[in-house]
Amino acid sequence: MADKKVEAITSRDEDFAQWYTDVVVKADLTGYTSVKGFMVLKPAGYAIWELIQSQLDKRFKETGVENVYMPLLIPEGLLQKEKDHVEGFAPEVAWVTHGGLSELQERLCVRPTSETLFCDFYQKDITSYRDLPKVYNQWCSVVRWEKETRPFLRSREFLWQEGHTAHATAEEAEERTIQMLNVYADFCENVLAMPVVKGQKTEKEKFAGAVSTYTIEALMHDGKALQSGTSHNFGDGFAKAYGVQYADKDNQLKYVHQTSWGVTTRLIGAIIMVHGDDNGLKLPPLVAPTQVMIVPIMQKKEGVIEKADELCERLSKVARVKVDKTDKSPGFKFAECEMRGIPIRVEVGPRDIENNECVLVRRDNGEKITVNMDNLEQEVSTLLETIQKDMLETARAHRDAHTYTAKNWDEFKDIVENKPGFIKAMWCGETECEDNIKAETGATTRCMPFEQEEISDVCVCCGKPAKKMVYFGRAY
Amino acid sequence: MADKKVEAITSRDEDFAQWYTDVVVKADLTGYTSVKGFMVLKPAGYAIWELIQSQLDKRFKETGVENVYMPLLIPEGLLQKEKDHVEGFAPEVAWVTHGGLSELQERLCVRPTSETLFCDFYQKDITSYRDLPKVYNQWCSVVRWEKETRPFLRSREFLWQEGHTAHATAEEAEERTIQMLNVYADFCENVLAMPVVKGQKTEKEKFAGAVSTYTIEALMHDGKALQSGTSHNFGDGFAKAYGVQYADKDNQLKYVHQTSWGVTTRLIGAIIMVHGDDNGLKLPPLVAPTQVMIVPIMQKKEGVIEKADELCERLSKVARVKVDKTDKSPGFKFAECEMRGIPIRVEVGPRDIENNECVLVRRDNGEKITVNMDNLEQEVSTLLETIQKDMLETARAHRDAHTYTAKNWDEFKDIVENKPGFIKAMWCGETECEDNIKAETGATTRCMPFEQEEISDVCVCCGKPAKKMVYFGRAY
């Protein structure tokens, strides 16, 4: 079995989709299940999610978020109260019709998202302005009955967090919506080493039931875009549908303003597709379950294993570290470390010990660095920071090199066909043009970025006066 | 709204069931949902679960456990492969029959527990003795279609962890089963301050599909028992039903030996019922989301709020601490701290500041301690440890004082009727006697404790030769 893991994988530039599947399997991230369209997260995959979860949760809590847990199942009647929302989700939910041996009077859907449950709860829990704001979040799984599935990117069940907040004013809701988008963007850049474009979704692309949807969009190595997190401002639409009101200081009953925001295990797919290469996964140190693997060389020689254990003990104070003592060859172990994306490999053999040195090998760029053993903690600690920073810079350089500007329709079509990446272009604001662009090129509006530029004054598609600069791209 | 929280609750000794419900609601642990039989965990309730989860997860990982995630839904055909198991669970599962707009070819149940999914996975993932052992765990929710529900104790959905392991030998599986039971027992005593009796379930009470089930049993304040965690040894029964085999060193195909073990949000119910009193919840410091609440006295006087903030800042290095700056009266704040079970209240007012002192009030026994402000970190830190220890001792004394010995049937009936608690008695080993005892008294076998005593040599019920000393009790 072990052999297969380091067999050569499909080349990334030859067949990106197959390369992706190979990495997922050979880095041991997901496993077999006979439940069609569902995913098993194996230890190596789930441990990445745990690191995402703990670091993101900490950032949430710093902004005042509190965690809660809502029911898994939603009665059909409750789902149906907000019209746009039920239209958006009803076609893709799983329905529970029997509990135990009896048929249910009202069927229940497995939550595809929990706006309706939070509204139902807030309707009872909020009575006065003193109860506001509510800034709640839950970590859970949701089910959406997708037809085509791919590990991490699209599956019938995925893990995520969903934040749901209620505020006294529209301004405060908008502020929270943007605040959480910024938390996501900062997390993606500084933890996942993945630069993102922040912006607003168009009417066509916004969430079912939202007034406005904001998004962070990342560019994968193959030039396709990945929506990596969204934050929605609901205004008082859900509050009106579910009767979520509060008595204000002036004793008037008013509707609350709500938001929701989420990221999913899809982020693991993004890590793979932004950073990985032909040797496998490349994990940014902050989300690497094992940050340092010590590989003893000529491990049967006296003192080698002992020295490796000693270094491991010392390094465990500054990093998540392991020693590979299996009876595989060093070359095999190296390849396995690379496949699994471990940021630093430490090689230590008899000659190194004699010289009081060891060799650090960076996964991100292959560089080998000989260091004095006495300073190992400091060297490794600094190198992990450097790798984290360099991976972001490499990803940013790739993203920038694959972001193009289209002034007119011919340029647009040429870029879509020949230069996979983001396309910045002007847009008139009409859904018809979005539809035409998608039909003719497969590119969709990714977002109207907060940082606008004036590329031209007419729509790239219809030539009418332009309203917004938009990022377009083919997307996952 | 806030007023209601500190209204007097039902007296614990008058109506324990109503007292329990009052505490759950007024300590803000659970919330309203229109999904019948399901539970909303509000921030105060969920935060306790987060503390249970993080501390238990750490203990698991120290024994080599790795976390994974398995699908939420189980195909009917997969569930049916192990006969006892499906008989045990089929009557109480929720069935998904439709995905999106179409009816499913095979219905899927929402996991009531995941043995079948782990077997399905292990069957593909394990090929050689080199792949063993597998020591996996998942944190998730499960659904069981209960008829009667009570918050934390019995609900249609609950949060839990379920460990599932596969081993080469029967001995190793038995060792892991006991190891995890010990992890649970140690956790309950040293984190939840709740003493437990460790032992084995009888044939009648064991898990559907297990060879043997071990349990930890705790005694609630009202003298009823609560099964607080279980650990099962499956032998190779599931492995044979699901074909989970490995090639051993001798190249022979052998079946693996499996275990599973779990604890649930029920532990929160146990905390309430072991420690709570007529003023509300009492949280052991290690699972108290807020360990110290600072209440400023005469807070409008100059310097009081500032001093409270300063103390909070200092204490945040050694404890989870907050300041209550709301405009409620001190008396109201005190009552609220008590209702929520916060282990230490710190009172600080103008005269305290003048004397460079403040008053610490223990939630567990009401003791007031005046301390010099200069040593506050050390005082609080030590006091939290003392409270943790004292709460365990108090619970142990209560448990011991309510553990009785019945030598014969008359004594047994008298104890059940008049002295709620554990009853130690001898048993012949026959299910018929268990059934009779239950029918006549409502008491069930809680466990055959590891620490056996010879109370007499005949069965307390039938008078035939006794095989085991058993803990009996009425249970939740």
Side-chain angles (χ1 to χ4, degrees):
Chain A
M1 282 303 279
D3 293 314
K4 288 183 193 161
K5 281 175 199 152
V6 291
E7 275 170 12
I9 54 175
T10 307
S11 158
R12 181 179 61 175
D13 295 330
E14 238 167 59
D15 182 346
F16 194 77
Q18 188 57 49
W19 168 83
Y20 178 81
T21 308
D22 286 355
V23 172
V24 167
V25 171
K26 290 179 181 166
D28 241 1
L29 303 181
T30 68
Y32 170 84
T33 170
S34 59
V35 192
K36 193 170 170 284
F38 284 66
M39 192 167 50
V40 167
L41 283 176
K42 291 178 76 168
Y46 194 79
I48 299 174
W49 183 241
E50 287 183 304
L51 287 166
I52 289 175
Q53 195 170 8
S54 61
Q55 292 173 87
L56 200 48
D57 196 68
K58 186 163 172 283
R59 284 163 191 249
F60 288 168
K61 284 177 178 157
E62 282 165 5
T63 75
V65 172
E66 298 183 291
N67 286 336
V68 298
Y69 188 75
M70 292 283 152
L72 173 71
L73 303 178
I74 309 172
E76 186 164 19
L78 189 62
L79 188 70
Q80 285 174 338
K81 286 193 183 175
E82 211 289 335
K83 211 175 127 284
D84 290 338
H85 188 70
V86 67
E87 276 176 18
F89 283 102
E92 58 175 41
V93 298
W95 290 103
V96 171
T97 57
H98 290 72
L101 302 174
S102 16
E103 190 168 350
L104 301 177
Q105 290 192 309
E106 180 183 20
R107 58 183 192 161
L108 306 163
C109 80
V110 182
R111 64 177 163 229
T113 178
S114 306
E115 276 73 11
T116 55
L117 292 164
F118 275 89
C119 285
D120 187 39
F121 169 73
Y122 284 147
Q123 195 268 323
K124 287 280 188 300
D125 204 56
I126 294 170
T127 54
S128 141
Y129 69 93
R130 286 197 184 85
D131 301 325
L132 296 173
K134 295 283 188 198
V135 187
Y136 289 174
N137 173 66
Q138 76 174 351
W139 293 92
C140 63
S141 82
V142 288
V143 168
R144 299 180 186 174
W145 220 253
E146 305 281 356
K147 291 198 181 71
E148 302 279 324
T149 61
R150 297 189 65 191
F152 299 116
L153 300 179
R154 201 171 287 281
S155 53
R156 287 189 172 169
E157 181 189 17
F158 55 85
L159 299 174
W160 79 344
Q161 60 67 219
E162 46 177 328
H164 296 269
T165 71
H167 306 269
T169 66
E171 294 67 36
E172 208 184 295
E174 178 69 9
E175 205 175 287
R176 175 57 72 169
T177 313
I178 300 295
Q179 180 181 25
M180 299 318 290
L181 191 80
N182 285 331
V183 168
Y184 290 154
D186 184 71
F187 176 80
C188 284
E189 301 217 338
N190 294 309
V191 178
L192 308 185
M194 177 173 94
V196 293
V197 176
K198 293 189 279 190
Q200 186 173 357
K201 287 284 186 189
T202 61
E203 277 298 298
K204 176 182 157 74
E205 298 285 340
K206 76 180 190 190
F207 183 80
V211 170
S212 49
T213 289
Y214 301 97
T215 179
I216 48 170
E217 299 283 328
L219 195 70
M220 304 298 103
H221 187 84
D222 64 346
K224 276 190 177 171
L226 187 82
Q227 176 182 307
S228 303
T230 48
S231 187
H232 315 290
N233 184 344
F234 290 134
D236 58 7
F238 274 93
K240 284 180 173 160
Y242 288 83
V244 189
Q245 289 181 297
Y246 70 98
D248 206 350
K249 286 177 188 169
D250 57 11
N251 244 329
Q252 299 293 303
L253 269 186
K254 295 177 184 167
Y255 288 105
V256 301
H257 290 74
Q258 290 173 269
T259 82
S260 86
W261 25 274
V263 297
T264 77
T265 30
R266 185 168 240 224
L267 288 176
I268 300 176
I271 294 169
I272 300 168
M273 293 196 290
V274 166
H275 301 298
D277 66 15
D278 283 355
N279 294 324
L281 195 60
K282 260 187 209 175
L283 291 171
L286 289 174
V287 286
T290 303
Q291 297 174 309
V292 180
M293 180 66 86
I294 301 174
V295 181
I297 311 293
M298 302 175 71
Q299 65 185 33
K300 284 180 183 152
K301 288 249 170 150
E302 202 190 316
V304 175
I305 287 282
E306 289 73 9
K307 180 55 84 175
D309 280 338
E310 181 201 315
L311 297 182
C312 183
E313 172 65 26
R314 281 172 51 197
L315 285 178
S316 67
K317 271 121 196 153
V318 297
R320 294 183 285 272
V321 56
K322 284 186 180 168
V323 183
D324 186 346
K325 298 181 198 173
T326 58
D327 55 10
K328 302 163 192 165
S329 72
F332 188 96
K333 292 178 185 179
F334 296 170
E336 204 168 56
C337 284
E338 285 173 4
M339 183 63 72
R340 290 166 181 239
I342 296 167
I344 299 177
R345 179 173 89 226
V346 176
E347 301 174 7
V348 55
R351 193 183 304 171
D352 301 303
I353 295 171
E354 222 177 274
N355 297 334
N356 196 36
E357 286 174 352
C358 55
V359 179
L360 310 186
V361 185
R362 292 173 61 160
R363 172 65 181 95
D364 66 321
N365 63 10
E367 194 188 340
K368 293 190 175 200
I369 309 156
T370 303
V371 300
N372 188 300
M373 273 191 207
D374 298 342
N375 312 325
L376 194 60
E377 292 92 332
Q378 186 55 49
E379 296 281 357
V380 162
S381 181
T382 307
L383 189 55
L384 285 171
E385 282 171 32
T386 306
I387 292 172
Q388 182 75 35
K389 206 171 123 281
D390 288 357
M391 284 181 77
L392 174 60
E393 289 321 311
T394 304
R396 196 192 303 280
H398 179 270
R399 196 266 312 263
D400 292 347
H402 293 81
T403 299
Y404 305 95
T405 302
K407 290 211 179 79
N408 56 52
W409 187 233
D410 283 342
E411 279 183 22
F412 193 98
K413 281 192 296 185
D414 175 56
I415 296 167
V416 175
E417 280 314 307
N418 303 312
K419 301 171 187 166
F422 279 136
I423 309 172
K424 298 194 281 189
M426 303 307 289
W427 174 56
C428 61
E430 296 300 321
T431 302
E432 203 188 329
C433 273
E434 271 183 283
D435 289 339
N436 287 342
I437 291 170
K438 187 176 180 186
E440 289 203 35
T441 67
T444 51
T445 53
R446 304 317 309 152
C447 70
M448 301 178 283
F450 292 154
E451 287 183 27
Q452 284 283 312
E453 294 166 46
E454 192 162 335
I455 292 164
S456 87
D457 51 11
V458 296
C459 174
V460 74
C461 178
C462 67
K464 287 184 193 150
K467 288 202 175 129
K468 283 278 180 187
M469 191 266 274
V470 170
Y471 272 79
F472 290 89
R474 287 179 177 158
Y476 280 96
Chain B
M1 281 305 278
D3 293 314
K4 288 184 195 161
K5 280 173 197 152
V6 290
E7 273 170 15
I9 55 174
T10 307
S11 158
R12 182 180 61 175
D13 294 330
E14 239 166 61
D15 183 347
F16 195 76
Q18 187 57 47
W19 168 83
Y20 178 80
T21 308
D22 287 354
V23 172
V24 166
V25 171
K26 289 181 182 164
D28 241 1
L29 303 182
T30 67
Y32 170 84
T33 169
S34 59
V35 192
K36 193 169 171 285
F38 283 66
M39 194 169 46
V40 167
L41 283 176
K42 291 177 74 167
Y46 194 80
I48 298 173
W49 184 241
E50 285 183 306
L51 287 166
I52 289 175
Q53 194 171 10
S54 61
Q55 291 173 87
L56 199 48
D57 196 69
K58 186 164 172 282
R59 284 161 192 250
F60 288 168
K61 284 177 177 157
E62 282 164 6
T63 74
V65 172
E66 298 183 292
N67 285 337
V68 298
Y69 188 75
M70 291 283 153
L72 172 71
L73 303 178
I74 309 172
E76 186 163 19
L78 189 62
L79 189 70
Q80 287 174 337
K81 285 193 183 175
E82 211 289 332
K83 210 173 128 285
D84 290 337
H85 188 69
V86 68
E87 275 175 18
F89 283 102
E92 57 174 42
V93 298
W95 291 104
V96 171
T97 56
H98 291 73
L101 303 173
S102 10
E103 189 167 352
L104 301 176
Q105 290 193 308
E106 179 182 20
R107 60 183 192 161
L108 306 163
C109 79
V110 182
R111 63 177 164 228
T113 178
S114 306
E115 276 74 12
T116 55
L117 292 164
F118 275 89
C119 284
D120 186 39
F121 168 75
Y122 285 146
Q123 194 269 324
K124 287 281 188 301
D125 204 57
I126 294 169
T127 54
S128 141
Y129 68 93
R130 286 197 184 84
D131 301 324
L132 296 173
K134 295 283 187 200
V135 187
Y136 289 175
N137 173 65
Q138 76 174 353
W139 293 93
C140 62
S141 82
V142 289
V143 168
R144 298 179 187 174
W145 220 253
E146 304 282 357
K147 290 197 183 71
E148 301 280 323
T149 62
R150 297 189 65 191
F152 298 117
L153 300 179
R154 201 171 287 280
S155 52
R156 287 191 171 169
E157 181 188 17
F158 56 84
L159 298 174
W160 78 343
Q161 60 67 218
E162 46 177 327
H164 295 270
T165 72
H167 306 269
T169 66
E171 293 68 36
E172 207 184 294
E174 179 68 10
E175 205 175 287
R176 174 58 71 169
T177 312
I178 300 295
Q179 179 181 25
M180 298 320 289
L181 191 81
N182 285 331
V183 168
Y184 290 153
D186 184 71
F187 176 80
C188 284
E189 303 217 338
N190 294 309
V191 179
L192 308 186
M194 178 173 93
V196 293
V197 176
K198 293 188 280 189
Q200 186 173 356
K201 286 284 184 189
T202 61
E203 276 300 297
K204 174 182 157 73
E205 298 285 340
K206 75 180 190 189
F207 182 81
V211 170
S212 50
T213 289
Y214 301 97
T215 179
I216 48 170
E217 300 283 327
L219 195 70
M220 304 299 102
H221 187 84
D222 65 345
K224 276 190 176 172
L226 186 81
Q227 176 181 306
S228 303
T230 47
S231 188
H232 316 289
N233 184 344
F234 291 134
D236 58 7
F238 274 92
K240 282 181 173 159
Y242 289 82
V244 189
Q245 289 181 295
Y246 69 98
D248 206 351
K249 284 177 190 168
D250 58 12
N251 243 330
Q252 299 293 304
L253 269 186
K254 294 177 185 169
Y255 287 105
V256 301
H257 289 74
Q258 291 173 268
T259 81
S260 85
W261 25 275
V263 297
T264 78
T265 31
R266 183 167 241 225
L267 289 176
I268 299 176
I271 294 169
I272 300 169
M273 293 196 290
V274 167
H275 301 299
D277 66 14
D278 283 355
N279 294 324
L281 195 60
K282 257 188 212 177
L283 290 172
L286 289 175
V287 287
T290 303
Q291 296 173 310
V292 180
M293 180 67 85
I294 301 174
V295 180
I297 311 294
M298 302 174 72
Q299 64 185 34
K300 284 180 184 154
K301 288 248 170 153
E302 203 190 315
V304 174
I305 288 281
E306 289 73 9
K307 180 56 80 174
D309 280 339
E310 182 201 313
L311 298 182
C312 184
E313 172 66 26
R314 281 172 51 198
L315 285 178
S316 68
K317 272 123 195 150
V318 298
R320 293 181 286 272
V321 55
K322 283 186 181 169
V323 182
D324 187 346
K325 298 181 199 173
T326 58
D327 54 11
K328 302 163 192 164
S329 72
F332 189 96
K333 291 179 186 180
F334 296 170
E336 204 168 56
C337 284
E338 285 172 4
M339 184 63 72
R340 291 165 182 237
I342 296 168
I344 299 177
R345 180 173 88 225
V346 176
E347 302 173 5
V348 56
R351 193 182 305 172
D352 302 304
I353 295 171
E354 221 176 275
N355 296 336
N356 196 36
E357 286 174 354
C358 54
V359 178
L360 310 187
V361 186
R362 290 174 63 160
R363 172 65 181 97
D364 65 323
N365 62 9
E367 194 189 339
K368 293 190 175 201
I369 310 155
T370 302
V371 301
N372 188 300
M373 273 193 206
D374 297 341
N375 313 325
L376 194 60
E377 292 92 332
Q378 186 55 49
E379 296 282 357
V380 162
S381 182
T382 307
L383 189 55
L384 286 171
E385 280 171 34
T386 306
I387 293 172
Q388 182 76 34
K389 206 171 121 282
D390 287 357
M391 285 181 74
L392 173 61
E393 289 322 311
T394 303
R396 197 192 304 280
H398 179 270
R399 195 264 314 262
D400 291 348
H402 294 80
T403 299
Y404 305 95
T405 302
K407 291 213 180 78
N408 56 52
W409 187 232
D410 284 341
E411 280 183 20
F412 192 97
K413 280 192 296 185
D414 175 56
I415 296 168
V416 175
E417 280 317 305
N418 304 311
K419 301 174 187 164
F422 279 136
I423 309 171
K424 299 193 281 189
M426 303 306 290
W427 173 57
C428 62
E430 297 300 320
T431 302
E432 203 187 329
C433 273
E434 271 182 283
D435 290 339
N436 288 340
I437 291 170
K438 187 176 178 185
E440 290 204 35
T441 67
T444 50
T445 53
R446 305 315 312 151
C447 70
M448 302 178 283
F450 292 154
E451 287 182 26
Q452 285 284 313
E453 294 166 46
E454 192 162 334
I455 293 164
S456 88
D457 51 11
V458 296
C459 175
V460 75
C461 178
C462 68
K464 288 185 193 150
K467 289 203 173 128
K468 283 278 181 187
M469 192 266 274
V470 171
Y471 271 79
F472 290 89
R474 286 181 178 156
Y476 281 96

